[in-house]
Amino acid sequence: MARFNALPHTRAVAALLACCGCPRWAERIAAHRPYPDPAALLAAGEEAGYDLTPAEQTRALTREPPAPLPPARPGPGTLAAHTALRAAHAAYERRFRHAFVISLDGCRDDEKLNQTLHALRTRLAHEPDEERSVAADALRRLARTRLAQLAVICP
């Protein structure tokens, strides 16, 4: 945490923007340094994530890269599943105008493809307001994971 706390403000903000693409979120977390430990950093990220306005959520979601395709496992149906996944990603982006975001923390590698495809199909049926809420939650979970990684690489 000492290295993260010691970063110049602009470098800290840049590192935080890689965790969540909302400038106010990143500025807020950077401004509250120093953090005594990773748990305090994660708590600050959670709190700031819940304070995002709808416009900030939209901006952060549009700055998210597309969710990576889960690793392909050899076997029957893998190619078909990846083709279905790519098609579902494209349909999601057309419908909601931002990348599909999902947190697969705690999910085994052999489950990620099915979990992602199931989540995409389920979320494509959501109304835009419902999906905004689900996507915001996924964005907060992704930011938490990324903040935890940042804490590890900046001990």
Side-chain angles (χ1 to χ4, degrees), residues 21-111:
C22 175
R24 187 173 66 91
W25 181 91
E27 287 283 345
R28 179 176 170 179
I29 294 170
H32 286 92
R33 292 177 302 154
Y35 293 99
D37 53 42
L41 175 62
L42 295 178
E46 279 287 314
E47 183 179 331
Y50 279 104
D51 289 342
L52 296 182
T53 66
E56 289 170 330
Q57 286 176 1
T58 298
R59 181 173 183 182
L61 286 167
T62 58
R63 295 181 78 182
E64 276 295 311
L69 293 176
R73 297 275 183 209
T78 300
L79 179 58
H82 269 260
T83 300
L85 192 56
R86 281 192 296 277
H89 269 271
Y92 181 94
E93 289 180 12
R94 276 192 308 275
R95 177 159 164 72
F96 297 111
R97 295 194 171 107
H98 60 78
F100 173 74
V101 291
I102 186 170
S103 174
L104 295 170
D105 287 350
C107 193
R108 294 189 334 244
D109 281 348
D110 63 340
E111 296 173 338

